[in-house]
Every structure is written in C-alpha cells, then in structure tokens.
Amino acid sequence: MKIEVLRKSLLATNERAAEENRSLFDRHGTVAVNLMGGAGCGKTSLLESIIPQLRPRWSVGVLEGDIATTRDAERIAALGVPVVQILTEGGCHLTASLVQHALERMPLEGMDILFIENVGNPICPANFDLGEHHRVAVLSVTEGDDKPLKYPYLFKVADLVVVSKADLLSATDFDVEEASRRIRTFDPCKPIMVTSARTFGMTDLVAEWFEARIPGYCADAVDQRELATTLPAEVWFG
Ligand code: MG
Ligand code: ZN
C-alpha cells in the first residue's frame, strides 16, 4: 500500500513538471518529441538521418538522455544543431524535472522542433510524461517481432512506431506483418514506418511525418499543405 502511495506522488510531481515543460514549449511554438526504445535500437542513428533533412527549413534541437557518456550527444553536435546532454547517473528513464533543468541550457527561441532522446530502455520511459507533444517508439528488426508483446505499454503510448534496421531484415526472422499486428493491438490505425538509417531515402517519410507536426507547417505554403494532408498513415518499404 505504501509503495502505491509513493508511486502516485512520484507521478504527480512528474506531471506538474511535465505541464510546465509543455507550456514552455507552447509559448515558443516548439513541437517536442519523446523518442523511446531499447538500448541500441537506433534512436541516435534515426536522428542522424532525419535532422539533415529537416535542417534546411526548420530549426532543430536535441536533448540527449543517457545513463553515462556523451557519445550520442557528440554524434548529434556533429550535425551542427544545439544539443544538451542529460546524464541520469544510473537512472533508467528521463523525468520531466531532468528535462526542465536541461531546458535552462537549451535556447527555444525560434526552435521549431525539439527531439528528446530518452534513455535506451523499452520499459519505464513510457510511464513518464516529459511534457512532449508526440511519442515515438523505435523497434529494430534485430530486437525481434515479439517486443510489442513483451513491452506493450511503449507501443500503446507511441503516436508513431519506427521499425529500424530494415537493411538487416533478411538476416533475422523478424516478421514485419506479425510485428505490426502486435503493435496495432490497441490502435488499428497506428502509423508504422519501416526504415533503415543506412539506406538512402529510407527515412524520408519519417522526416516528413515530423515536419507535418511543426506548428505553422500547414500555413507555410499550399504545396506543403497538400503534403501534410496526403501523408499516408502507413508506409512500407521493399
Ligand atoms: Mg542513443
Ligand atoms: Zn526507469
């Protein structure tokens, strides 16, 4: 009973900080994305692939969550976008307060989209609202198509599921149809994009999905408005 009370007060404290983060993002017109998935699933590689596609037109920032080391933050900084490293010092997920502190060092003025790369962990990050607008789950084909059964909450809360490392499909027994059936247990329309950060052009639609969520995107130009409304809910690659 005591543990349940403690858990509830922990989540209530987190929710307060999350609401403060969300109103800060909204005041700046910044769309915030919480990128989640297991260790080594390809979250940083996905960012390395899509940020160069977004940068010509949009201002991008990254908060990089890790238990230790600044390796991933250095990879992002090499792209020429502002990045703030959040070291959790053993913590297995980001909290809204950790994000709030990191935001003190991240200039949001004029920023269109902020990616928050969570700690590599398919379990508890999904329970902690950071104040983001969208949640994206990354699942690599090397992790196995049973992961949506093992970590259902991650795939339930995600607005978009990115299946990564599709260039390795033939080397695994990952069944894309079976995985998508499992991912769509809670939402039969959940968008799933099969990608490879190593293959030219295979993350273009992920970049477009993000672009379409940037405030002001639709009002920008008629051709962009058409793009935003015709984006398919489901995209498969060969
Ligand atoms: Mg990473
Ligand atoms: Zn955790």
Side-chain angles (χ1 to χ4, degrees), residues 30-35 43 46-47 50-51 54 59-65 76 81-84 94 106 111-118 136 206-207 209-211 214:
T30 306
V31 64
V33 177
N34 183 358
L35 195 57
K43 296 180 295 298
L46 181 71
L47 291 176
I50 62 173
I51 286 173
L54 296 171
S59 161
V60 182
V62 178
L63 302 184
E64 192 54 60
I76 298 297
V81 296
V83 52
V84 173
L94 291 180
M106 173 62 75
M111 184 171 290
D112 298 303
I113 184 161
L114 177 74
F115 292 102
I116 307 167
E117 184 182 332
N118 219 308
V136 174
V206 180
W209 189 90
F210 286 122
E211 199 171 16
I214 292 171

PDB file of all heavy atoms in Angstrom, residues 30-35 43 46-47 50-51 54 59-65 76 81-84 94 106 111-118 136 206-207 209-211 214:
ATOM      1  N   THR A  30       7.271  25.498 -30.127  1.00  0.00           N
ATOM      2  CA  THR A  30       8.181  24.374 -30.392  1.00  0.00           C
ATOM      3  C   THR A  30       7.427  23.064 -30.204  1.00  0.00           C
ATOM      4  O   THR A  30       6.792  22.861 -29.171  1.00  0.00           O
ATOM      5  CB  THR A  30       9.371  24.404 -29.399  1.00  0.00           C
ATOM      6  OG1 THR A  30       9.991  25.686 -29.451  1.00  0.00           O
ATOM      7  CG2 THR A  30      10.384  23.312 -29.694  1.00  0.00           C
ATOM      8  N   VAL A  31       7.495  22.184 -31.197  1.00  0.00           N
ATOM      9  CA  VAL A  31       6.885  20.871 -31.011  1.00  0.00           C
ATOM     10  C   VAL A  31       7.944  19.945 -30.414  1.00  0.00           C
ATOM     11  O   VAL A  31       9.093  19.917 -30.856  1.00  0.00           O
ATOM     12  CB  VAL A  31       6.282  20.302 -32.330  1.00  0.00           C
ATOM     13  CG1 VAL A  31       7.323  20.036 -33.391  1.00  0.00           C
ATOM     14  CG2 VAL A  31       5.491  19.019 -32.050  1.00  0.00           C
ATOM     15  N   ALA A  32       7.569  19.236 -29.335  1.00  0.00           N
ATOM     16  CA  ALA A  32       8.526  18.385 -28.624  1.00  0.00           C
ATOM     17  C   ALA A  32       8.175  16.916 -28.828  1.00  0.00           C
ATOM     18  O   ALA A  32       7.020  16.526 -28.758  1.00  0.00           O
ATOM     19  CB  ALA A  32       8.530  18.729 -27.133  1.00  0.00           C
ATOM     20  N   VAL A  33       9.218  16.142 -29.102  1.00  0.00           N
ATOM     21  CA  VAL A  33       9.046  14.718 -29.417  1.00  0.00           C
ATOM     22  C   VAL A  33       9.874  13.884 -28.452  1.00  0.00           C
ATOM     23  O   VAL A  33      11.066  14.130 -28.281  1.00  0.00           O
ATOM     24  CB  VAL A  33       9.518  14.423 -30.860  1.00  0.00           C
ATOM     25  CG1 VAL A  33       9.424  12.938 -31.166  1.00  0.00           C
ATOM     26  CG2 VAL A  33       8.731  15.243 -31.875  1.00  0.00           C
ATOM     27  N   ASN A  34       9.246  12.898 -27.824  1.00  0.00           N
ATOM     28  CA  ASN A  34       9.937  11.982 -26.918  1.00  0.00           C
ATOM     29  C   ASN A  34      10.235  10.696 -27.691  1.00  0.00           C
ATOM     30  O   ASN A  34       9.329   9.982 -28.088  1.00  0.00           O
ATOM     31  CB  ASN A  34       9.011  11.713 -25.717  1.00  0.00           C
ATOM     32  CG  ASN A  34       9.642  10.831 -24.645  1.00  0.00           C
ATOM     33  OD1 ASN A  34      10.760  10.364 -24.782  1.00  0.00           O
ATOM     34  ND2 ASN A  34       8.881  10.600 -23.584  1.00  0.00           N
ATOM     35  N   LEU A  35      11.525  10.455 -27.909  1.00  0.00           N
ATOM     36  CA  LEU A  35      11.962   9.319 -28.723  1.00  0.00           C
ATOM     37  C   LEU A  35      12.381   8.188 -27.784  1.00  0.00           C
ATOM     38  O   LEU A  35      13.317   8.341 -26.996  1.00  0.00           O
ATOM     39  CB  LEU A  35      13.140   9.777 -29.589  1.00  0.00           C
ATOM     40  CG  LEU A  35      13.589   8.955 -30.772  1.00  0.00           C
ATOM     41  CD1 LEU A  35      12.452   8.725 -31.764  1.00  0.00           C
ATOM     42  CD2 LEU A  35      14.754   9.659 -31.468  1.00  0.00           C
ATOM     43  N   LYS A  43      17.964   4.884 -32.123  1.00  0.00           N
ATOM     44  CA  LYS A  43      17.357   6.207 -31.919  1.00  0.00           C
ATOM     45  C   LYS A  43      18.289   7.321 -32.414  1.00  0.00           C
ATOM     46  O   LYS A  43      17.863   8.225 -33.132  1.00  0.00           O
ATOM     47  CB  LYS A  43      17.033   6.435 -30.427  1.00  0.00           C
ATOM     48  CG  LYS A  43      15.993   5.482 -29.866  1.00  0.00           C
ATOM     49  CD  LYS A  43      15.689   5.740 -28.390  1.00  0.00           C
ATOM     50  CE  LYS A  43      16.855   5.491 -27.466  1.00  0.00           C
ATOM     51  NZ  LYS A  43      17.340   4.085 -27.475  1.00  0.00           N
ATOM     52  N   LEU A  46      18.650   7.281 -36.160  1.00  0.00           N
ATOM     53  CA  LEU A  46      17.471   7.844 -36.828  1.00  0.00           C
ATOM     54  C   LEU A  46      17.576   9.369 -36.846  1.00  0.00           C
ATOM     55  O   LEU A  46      17.334  10.011 -37.872  1.00  0.00           O
ATOM     56  CB  LEU A  46      16.190   7.395 -36.106  1.00  0.00           C
ATOM     57  CG  LEU A  46      14.883   7.906 -36.720  1.00  0.00           C
ATOM     58  CD1 LEU A  46      14.608   7.207 -38.055  1.00  0.00           C
ATOM     59  CD2 LEU A  46      13.705   7.688 -35.778  1.00  0.00           C
ATOM     60  N   LEU A  47      17.981   9.962 -35.698  1.00  0.00           N
ATOM     61  CA  LEU A  47      18.141  11.419 -35.637  1.00  0.00           C
ATOM     62  C   LEU A  47      19.226  11.882 -36.611  1.00  0.00           C
ATOM     63  O   LEU A  47      19.061  12.884 -37.309  1.00  0.00           O
ATOM     64  CB  LEU A  47      18.480  11.872 -34.213  1.00  0.00           C
ATOM     65  CG  LEU A  47      17.344  11.735 -33.185  1.00  0.00           C
ATOM     66  CD1 LEU A  47      17.842  12.137 -31.796  1.00  0.00           C
ATOM     67  CD2 LEU A  47      16.144  12.589 -33.582  1.00  0.00           C
ATOM     68  N   ILE A  50      17.544  11.917 -40.063  1.00  0.00           N
ATOM     69  CA  ILE A  50      16.446  12.838 -40.396  1.00  0.00           C
ATOM     70  C   ILE A  50      16.786  14.315 -40.146  1.00  0.00           C
ATOM     71  O   ILE A  50      16.230  15.183 -40.813  1.00  0.00           O
ATOM     72  CB  ILE A  50      15.116  12.467 -39.687  1.00  0.00           C
ATOM     73  CG1 ILE A  50      15.257  12.542 -38.177  1.00  0.00           C
ATOM     74  CG2 ILE A  50      14.625  11.113 -40.137  1.00  0.00           C
ATOM     75  CD1 ILE A  50      13.928  12.363 -37.454  1.00  0.00           C
ATOM     76  N   ILE A  51      17.685  14.596 -39.209  1.00  0.00           N
ATOM     77  CA  ILE A  51      17.987  16.006 -38.911  1.00  0.00           C
ATOM     78  C   ILE A  51      18.528  16.751 -40.140  1.00  0.00           C
ATOM     79  O   ILE A  51      18.076  17.867 -40.427  1.00  0.00           O
ATOM     80  CB  ILE A  51      18.888  16.144 -37.664  1.00  0.00           C
ATOM     81  CG1 ILE A  51      18.056  15.851 -36.408  1.00  0.00           C
ATOM     82  CG2 ILE A  51      19.515  17.544 -37.569  1.00  0.00           C
ATOM     83  CD1 ILE A  51      18.837  15.775 -35.117  1.00  0.00           C
ATOM     84  N   LEU A  54      15.618  17.873 -42.143  1.00  0.00           N
ATOM     85  CA  LEU A  54      14.767  18.915 -41.546  1.00  0.00           C
ATOM     86  C   LEU A  54      15.472  20.276 -41.512  1.00  0.00           C
ATOM     87  O   LEU A  54      14.834  21.322 -41.643  1.00  0.00           O
ATOM     88  CB  LEU A  54      14.365  18.523 -40.123  1.00  0.00           C
ATOM     89  CG  LEU A  54      13.491  17.266 -39.985  1.00  0.00           C
ATOM     90  CD1 LEU A  54      13.356  16.868 -38.510  1.00  0.00           C
ATOM     91  CD2 LEU A  54      12.106  17.509 -40.580  1.00  0.00           C
ATOM     92  N   SER A  59      14.326  24.864 -37.594  1.00  0.00           N
ATOM     93  CA  SER A  59      15.316  24.931 -36.536  1.00  0.00           C
ATOM     94  C   SER A  59      15.088  23.754 -35.578  1.00  0.00           C
ATOM     95  O   SER A  59      13.995  23.567 -35.060  1.00  0.00           O
ATOM     96  CB  SER A  59      15.175  26.279 -35.846  1.00  0.00           C
ATOM     97  OG  SER A  59      15.781  26.238 -34.598  1.00  0.00           O
ATOM     98  N   VAL A  60      16.142  22.958 -35.372  1.00  0.00           N
ATOM     99  CA  VAL A  60      16.035  21.696 -34.636  1.00  0.00           C
ATOM    100  C   VAL A  60      16.933  21.730 -33.406  1.00  0.00           C
ATOM    101  O   VAL A  60      18.034  22.290 -33.455  1.00  0.00           O
ATOM    102  CB  VAL A  60      16.476  20.512 -35.544  1.00  0.00           C
ATOM    103  CG1 VAL A  60      16.329  19.171 -34.829  1.00  0.00           C
ATOM    104  CG2 VAL A  60      15.698  20.506 -36.862  1.00  0.00           C
ATOM    105  N   GLY A  61      16.482  21.143 -32.306  1.00  0.00           N
ATOM    106  CA  GLY A  61      17.329  20.961 -31.124  1.00  0.00           C
ATOM    107  C   GLY A  61      17.144  19.553 -30.588  1.00  0.00           C
ATOM    108  O   GLY A  61      16.150  18.888 -30.883  1.00  0.00           O
ATOM    109  N   VAL A  62      18.128  19.109 -29.793  1.00  0.00           N
ATOM    110  CA  VAL A  62      18.065  17.742 -29.256  1.00  0.00           C
ATOM    111  C   VAL A  62      18.465  17.746 -27.784  1.00  0.00           C
ATOM    112  O   VAL A  62      19.473  18.350 -27.404  1.00  0.00           O
ATOM    113  CB  VAL A  62      19.013  16.788 -30.042  1.00  0.00           C
ATOM    114  CG1 VAL A  62      18.967  15.382 -29.448  1.00  0.00           C
ATOM    115  CG2 VAL A  62      18.647  16.743 -31.533  1.00  0.00           C
ATOM    116  N   LEU A  63      17.657  17.076 -26.962  1.00  0.00           N
ATOM    117  CA  LEU A  63      18.073  16.737 -25.607  1.00  0.00           C
ATOM    118  C   LEU A  63      18.435  15.264 -25.639  1.00  0.00           C
ATOM    119  O   LEU A  63      17.646  14.438 -26.099  1.00  0.00           O
ATOM    120  CB  LEU A  63      16.950  16.971 -24.580  1.00  0.00           C
ATOM    121  CG  LEU A  63      16.362  18.377 -24.456  1.00  0.00           C
ATOM    122  CD1 LEU A  63      15.333  18.406 -23.318  1.00  0.00           C
ATOM    123  CD2 LEU A  63      17.443  19.414 -24.204  1.00  0.00           C
ATOM    124  N   GLU A  64      19.612  14.945 -25.168  1.00  0.00           N
ATOM    125  CA  GLU A  64      20.149  13.599 -25.328  1.00  0.00           C
ATOM    126  C   GLU A  64      20.245  12.940 -23.950  1.00  0.00           C
ATOM    127  O   GLU A  64      21.086  13.311 -23.144  1.00  0.00           O
ATOM    128  CB  GLU A  64      21.529  13.757 -25.987  1.00  0.00           C
ATOM    129  CG  GLU A  64      22.187  12.550 -26.519  1.00  0.00           C
ATOM    130  CD  GLU A  64      21.364  11.731 -27.489  1.00  0.00           C
ATOM    131  OE1 GLU A  64      20.960  12.244 -28.537  1.00  0.00           O
ATOM    132  OE2 GLU A  64      21.136  10.559 -27.179  1.00  0.00           O
ATOM    133  N   GLY A  65      19.367  11.987 -23.694  1.00  0.00           N
ATOM    134  CA  GLY A  65      19.358  11.306 -22.394  1.00  0.00           C
ATOM    135  C   GLY A  65      20.209  10.047 -22.415  1.00  0.00           C
ATOM    136  O   GLY A  65      20.066   9.224 -23.311  1.00  0.00           O
ATOM    137  N   ILE A  76      25.324  13.969 -32.328  1.00  0.00           N
ATOM    138  CA  ILE A  76      24.298  14.949 -32.716  1.00  0.00           C
ATOM    139  C   ILE A  76      24.943  16.318 -32.945  1.00  0.00           C
ATOM    140  O   ILE A  76      24.628  17.007 -33.918  1.00  0.00           O
ATOM    141  CB  ILE A  76      23.192  15.047 -31.643  1.00  0.00           C
ATOM    142  CG1 ILE A  76      22.470  13.692 -31.471  1.00  0.00           C
ATOM    143  CG2 ILE A  76      22.206  16.161 -31.959  1.00  0.00           C
ATOM    144  CD1 ILE A  76      21.731  13.193 -32.697  1.00  0.00           C
ATOM    145  N   VAL A  81      23.589  21.057 -34.778  1.00  0.00           N
ATOM    146  CA  VAL A  81      22.371  21.521 -34.097  1.00  0.00           C
ATOM    147  C   VAL A  81      22.646  21.571 -32.591  1.00  0.00           C
ATOM    148  O   VAL A  81      23.486  20.830 -32.085  1.00  0.00           O
ATOM    149  CB  VAL A  81      21.149  20.602 -34.388  1.00  0.00           C
ATOM    150  CG1 VAL A  81      20.797  20.636 -35.861  1.00  0.00           C
ATOM    151  CG2 VAL A  81      21.371  19.178 -33.918  1.00  0.00           C
ATOM    152  N   PRO A  82      21.932  22.478 -31.865  1.00  0.00           N
ATOM    153  CA  PRO A  82      22.158  22.542 -30.422  1.00  0.00           C
ATOM    154  C   PRO A  82      21.737  21.245 -29.742  1.00  0.00           C
ATOM    155  O   PRO A  82      20.689  20.686 -30.044  1.00  0.00           O
ATOM    156  CB  PRO A  82      21.287  23.716 -29.967  1.00  0.00           C
ATOM    157  CG  PRO A  82      20.307  23.947 -31.061  1.00  0.00           C
ATOM    158  CD  PRO A  82      20.944  23.470 -32.324  1.00  0.00           C
ATOM    159  N   VAL A  83      22.589  20.774 -28.847  1.00  0.00           N
ATOM    160  CA  VAL A  83      22.275  19.536 -28.123  1.00  0.00           C
ATOM    161  C   VAL A  83      22.655  19.720 -26.657  1.00  0.00           C
ATOM    162  O   VAL A  83      23.681  20.305 -26.343  1.00  0.00           O
ATOM    163  CB  VAL A  83      22.995  18.320 -28.759  1.00  0.00           C
ATOM    164  CG1 VAL A  83      24.479  18.544 -28.941  1.00  0.00           C
ATOM    165  CG2 VAL A  83      22.750  17.038 -27.956  1.00  0.00           C
ATOM    166  N   VAL A  84      21.790  19.288 -25.766  1.00  0.00           N
ATOM    167  CA  VAL A  84      22.087  19.299 -24.337  1.00  0.00           C
ATOM    168  C   VAL A  84      22.055  17.862 -23.845  1.00  0.00           C
ATOM    169  O   VAL A  84      21.086  17.132 -24.074  1.00  0.00           O
ATOM    170  CB  VAL A  84      21.078  20.156 -23.541  1.00  0.00           C
ATOM    171  CG1 VAL A  84      21.320  20.007 -22.037  1.00  0.00           C
ATOM    172  CG2 VAL A  84      21.180  21.625 -23.945  1.00  0.00           C
ATOM    173  N   LEU A  94      14.203   9.162 -18.378  1.00  0.00           N
ATOM    174  CA  LEU A  94      14.166  10.607 -18.145  1.00  0.00           C
ATOM    175  C   LEU A  94      12.914  10.946 -17.343  1.00  0.00           C
ATOM    176  O   LEU A  94      11.899  10.258 -17.433  1.00  0.00           O
ATOM    177  CB  LEU A  94      14.135  11.370 -19.472  1.00  0.00           C
ATOM    178  CG  LEU A  94      15.402  11.328 -20.322  1.00  0.00           C
ATOM    179  CD1 LEU A  94      15.197  12.143 -21.600  1.00  0.00           C
ATOM    180  CD2 LEU A  94      16.604  11.860 -19.544  1.00  0.00           C
ATOM    181  N   MET A 106      18.953  25.131 -23.051  1.00  0.00           N
ATOM    182  CA  MET A 106      18.573  24.953 -24.457  1.00  0.00           C
ATOM    183  C   MET A 106      17.744  26.153 -24.909  1.00  0.00           C
ATOM    184  O   MET A 106      16.630  26.350 -24.419  1.00  0.00           O
ATOM    185  CB  MET A 106      17.760  23.657 -24.590  1.00  0.00           C
ATOM    186  CG  MET A 106      17.146  23.416 -25.968  1.00  0.00           C
ATOM    187  SD  MET A 106      18.350  23.251 -27.301  1.00  0.00           S
ATOM    188  CE  MET A 106      19.015  21.612 -27.019  1.00  0.00           C
ATOM    189  N   MET A 111      12.942  27.909 -32.135  1.00  0.00           N
ATOM    190  CA  MET A 111      13.127  26.474 -32.394  1.00  0.00           C
ATOM    191  C   MET A 111      11.805  25.838 -32.820  1.00  0.00           C
ATOM    192  O   MET A 111      10.796  25.968 -32.134  1.00  0.00           O
ATOM    193  CB  MET A 111      13.685  25.781 -31.164  1.00  0.00           C
ATOM    194  CG  MET A 111      13.990  24.300 -31.422  1.00  0.00           C
ATOM    195  SD  MET A 111      14.880  23.579 -30.057  1.00  0.00           S
ATOM    196  CE  MET A 111      16.465  24.405 -30.233  1.00  0.00           C
ATOM    197  N   ASP A 112      11.815  25.143 -33.952  1.00  0.00           N
ATOM    198  CA  ASP A 112      10.597  24.527 -34.469  1.00  0.00           C
ATOM    199  C   ASP A 112      10.342  23.160 -33.857  1.00  0.00           C
ATOM    200  O   ASP A 112       9.206  22.798 -33.561  1.00  0.00           O
ATOM    201  CB  ASP A 112      10.693  24.387 -35.996  1.00  0.00           C
ATOM    202  CG  ASP A 112      10.820  25.737 -36.681  1.00  0.00           C
ATOM    203  OD1 ASP A 112       9.919  26.569 -36.450  1.00  0.00           O
ATOM    204  OD2 ASP A 112      11.795  25.964 -37.405  1.00  0.00           O
ATOM    205  N   ILE A 113      11.385  22.375 -33.706  1.00  0.00           N
ATOM    206  CA  ILE A 113      11.187  21.003 -33.212  1.00  0.00           C
ATOM    207  C   ILE A 113      12.323  20.604 -32.289  1.00  0.00           C
ATOM    208  O   ILE A 113      13.489  20.859 -32.571  1.00  0.00           O
ATOM    209  CB  ILE A 113      10.996  20.010 -34.397  1.00  0.00           C
ATOM    210  CG1 ILE A 113      10.690  18.600 -33.889  1.00  0.00           C
ATOM    211  CG2 ILE A 113      12.185  19.994 -35.360  1.00  0.00           C
ATOM    212  CD1 ILE A 113      10.038  17.693 -34.945  1.00  0.00           C
ATOM    213  N   LEU A 114      11.950  20.026 -31.161  1.00  0.00           N
ATOM    214  CA  LEU A 114      12.925  19.563 -30.173  1.00  0.00           C
ATOM    215  C   LEU A 114      12.749  18.063 -29.986  1.00  0.00           C
ATOM    216  O   LEU A 114      11.668  17.598 -29.605  1.00  0.00           O
ATOM    217  CB  LEU A 114      12.718  20.273 -28.825  1.00  0.00           C
ATOM    218  CG  LEU A 114      13.646  19.803 -27.705  1.00  0.00           C
ATOM    219  CD1 LEU A 114      15.074  20.337 -27.914  1.00  0.00           C
ATOM    220  CD2 LEU A 114      13.125  20.238 -26.334  1.00  0.00           C
ATOM    221  N   PHE A 115      13.804  17.312 -30.288  1.00  0.00           N
ATOM    222  CA  PHE A 115      13.784  15.870 -30.043  1.00  0.00           C
ATOM    223  C   PHE A 115      14.375  15.588 -28.669  1.00  0.00           C
ATOM    224  O   PHE A 115      15.418  16.131 -28.320  1.00  0.00           O
ATOM    225  CB  PHE A 115      14.617  15.131 -31.100  1.00  0.00           C
ATOM    226  CG  PHE A 115      14.015  15.188 -32.474  1.00  0.00           C
ATOM    227  CD1 PHE A 115      14.512  16.070 -33.431  1.00  0.00           C
ATOM    228  CD2 PHE A 115      12.946  14.371 -32.806  1.00  0.00           C
ATOM    229  CE1 PHE A 115      13.959  16.119 -34.706  1.00  0.00           C
ATOM    230  CE2 PHE A 115      12.382  14.421 -34.075  1.00  0.00           C
ATOM    231  CZ  PHE A 115      12.886  15.295 -35.024  1.00  0.00           C
ATOM    232  N   ILE A 116      13.680  14.762 -27.902  1.00  0.00           N
ATOM    233  CA  ILE A 116      14.201  14.337 -26.603  1.00  0.00           C
ATOM    234  C   ILE A 116      14.479  12.846 -26.712  1.00  0.00           C
ATOM    235  O   ILE A 116      13.550  12.036 -26.747  1.00  0.00           O
ATOM    236  CB  ILE A 116      13.188  14.613 -25.470  1.00  0.00           C
ATOM    237  CG1 ILE A 116      12.745  16.082 -25.483  1.00  0.00           C
ATOM    238  CG2 ILE A 116      13.785  14.233 -24.118  1.00  0.00           C
ATOM    239  CD1 ILE A 116      11.525  16.374 -24.597  1.00  0.00           C
ATOM    240  N   GLU A 117      15.753  12.500 -26.861  1.00  0.00           N
ATOM    241  CA  GLU A 117      16.093  11.076 -26.952  1.00  0.00           C
ATOM    242  C   GLU A 117      16.171  10.511 -25.547  1.00  0.00           C
ATOM    243  O   GLU A 117      17.005  10.904 -24.747  1.00  0.00           O
ATOM    244  CB  GLU A 117      17.417  10.850 -27.698  1.00  0.00           C
ATOM    245  CG  GLU A 117      17.687   9.353 -27.857  1.00  0.00           C
ATOM    246  CD  GLU A 117      18.998   9.012 -28.550  1.00  0.00           C
ATOM    247  OE1 GLU A 117      19.484   9.796 -29.372  1.00  0.00           O
ATOM    248  OE2 GLU A 117      19.514   7.916 -28.245  1.00  0.00           O
ATOM    249  N   ASN A 118      15.260   9.595 -25.241  1.00  0.00           N
ATOM    250  CA  ASN A 118      15.192   9.021 -23.902  1.00  0.00           C
ATOM    251  C   ASN A 118      16.316   8.003 -23.685  1.00  0.00           C
ATOM    252  O   ASN A 118      17.015   7.625 -24.619  1.00  0.00           O
ATOM    253  CB  ASN A 118      13.812   8.372 -23.696  1.00  0.00           C
ATOM    254  CG  ASN A 118      13.285   8.596 -22.298  1.00  0.00           C
ATOM    255  OD1 ASN A 118      13.975   8.313 -21.321  1.00  0.00           O
ATOM    256  ND2 ASN A 118      12.079   9.126 -22.199  1.00  0.00           N
ATOM    257  N   VAL A 136       7.388   8.738 -29.878  1.00  0.00           N
ATOM    258  CA  VAL A 136       7.757   7.860 -30.978  1.00  0.00           C
ATOM    259  C   VAL A 136       8.524   6.671 -30.399  1.00  0.00           C
ATOM    260  O   VAL A 136       9.440   6.845 -29.598  1.00  0.00           O
ATOM    261  CB  VAL A 136       8.619   8.618 -32.013  1.00  0.00           C
ATOM    262  CG1 VAL A 136       9.125   7.671 -33.098  1.00  0.00           C
ATOM    263  CG2 VAL A 136       7.804   9.755 -32.635  1.00  0.00           C
ATOM    264  N   VAL A 206       9.703   9.508 -42.509  1.00  0.00           N
ATOM    265  CA  VAL A 206       9.743   9.797 -41.072  1.00  0.00           C
ATOM    266  C   VAL A 206       9.991  11.302 -40.887  1.00  0.00           C
ATOM    267  O   VAL A 206       9.318  11.970 -40.094  1.00  0.00           O
ATOM    268  CB  VAL A 206      10.833   8.971 -40.350  1.00  0.00           C
ATOM    269  CG1 VAL A 206      10.854   9.294 -38.866  1.00  0.00           C
ATOM    270  CG2 VAL A 206      10.612   7.481 -40.578  1.00  0.00           C
ATOM    271  N   ALA A 207      10.943  11.827 -41.648  1.00  0.00           N
ATOM    272  CA  ALA A 207      11.235  13.265 -41.581  1.00  0.00           C
ATOM    273  C   ALA A 207       9.988  14.074 -41.936  1.00  0.00           C
ATOM    274  O   ALA A 207       9.669  15.070 -41.284  1.00  0.00           O
ATOM    275  CB  ALA A 207      12.394  13.615 -42.511  1.00  0.00           C
ATOM    276  N   TRP A 209       6.878  13.105 -41.594  1.00  0.00           N
ATOM    277  CA  TRP A 209       5.892  12.937 -40.507  1.00  0.00           C
ATOM    278  C   TRP A 209       6.156  13.986 -39.419  1.00  0.00           C
ATOM    279  O   TRP A 209       5.236  14.627 -38.922  1.00  0.00           O
ATOM    280  CB  TRP A 209       5.968  11.516 -39.929  1.00  0.00           C
ATOM    281  CG  TRP A 209       4.864  11.169 -38.968  1.00  0.00           C
ATOM    282  CD1 TRP A 209       3.657  10.608 -39.272  1.00  0.00           C
ATOM    283  CD2 TRP A 209       4.855  11.359 -37.541  1.00  0.00           C
ATOM    284  NE1 TRP A 209       2.904  10.437 -38.121  1.00  0.00           N
ATOM    285  CE2 TRP A 209       3.616  10.890 -37.052  1.00  0.00           C
ATOM    286  CE3 TRP A 209       5.772  11.879 -36.618  1.00  0.00           C
ATOM    287  CZ2 TRP A 209       3.270  10.913 -35.694  1.00  0.00           C
ATOM    288  CZ3 TRP A 209       5.428  11.909 -35.271  1.00  0.00           C
ATOM    289  CH2 TRP A 209       4.190  11.427 -34.832  1.00  0.00           C
ATOM    290  N   PHE A 210       7.449  14.171 -39.084  1.00  0.00           N
ATOM    291  CA  PHE A 210       7.800  15.171 -38.067  1.00  0.00           C
ATOM    292  C   PHE A 210       7.514  16.581 -38.585  1.00  0.00           C
ATOM    293  O   PHE A 210       6.962  17.417 -37.865  1.00  0.00           O
ATOM    294  CB  PHE A 210       9.274  15.050 -37.666  1.00  0.00           C
ATOM    295  CG  PHE A 210       9.545  13.864 -36.795  1.00  0.00           C
ATOM    296  CD1 PHE A 210      10.451  12.897 -37.175  1.00  0.00           C
ATOM    297  CD2 PHE A 210       8.886  13.711 -35.584  1.00  0.00           C
ATOM    298  CE1 PHE A 210      10.690  11.787 -36.374  1.00  0.00           C
ATOM    299  CE2 PHE A 210       9.120  12.612 -34.774  1.00  0.00           C
ATOM    300  CZ  PHE A 210      10.028  11.656 -35.176  1.00  0.00           C
ATOM    301  N   GLU A 211       7.915  16.821 -39.818  1.00  0.00           N
ATOM    302  CA  GLU A 211       7.736  18.145 -40.408  1.00  0.00           C
ATOM    303  C   GLU A 211       6.260  18.550 -40.366  1.00  0.00           C
ATOM    304  O   GLU A 211       5.925  19.699 -40.077  1.00  0.00           O
ATOM    305  CB  GLU A 211       8.242  18.095 -41.851  1.00  0.00           C
ATOM    306  CG  GLU A 211       8.541  19.429 -42.428  1.00  0.00           C
ATOM    307  CD  GLU A 211       9.253  19.328 -43.769  1.00  0.00           C
ATOM    308  OE1 GLU A 211       9.249  18.249 -44.388  1.00  0.00           O
ATOM    309  OE2 GLU A 211       9.805  20.354 -44.192  1.00  0.00           O
ATOM    310  N   ILE A 214       5.083  20.261 -37.104  1.00  0.00           N
ATOM    311  CA  ILE A 214       5.656  21.539 -36.667  1.00  0.00           C
ATOM    312  C   ILE A 214       4.585  22.622 -36.765  1.00  0.00           C
ATOM    313  O   ILE A 214       3.927  22.746 -37.805  1.00  0.00           O
ATOM    314  CB  ILE A 214       6.891  21.896 -37.524  1.00  0.00           C
ATOM    315  CG1 ILE A 214       8.026  20.904 -37.214  1.00  0.00           C
ATOM    316  CG2 ILE A 214       7.330  23.337 -37.274  1.00  0.00           C
ATOM    317  CD1 ILE A 214       9.227  21.020 -38.144  1.00  0.00           C
TER     318      ILE A 214
END
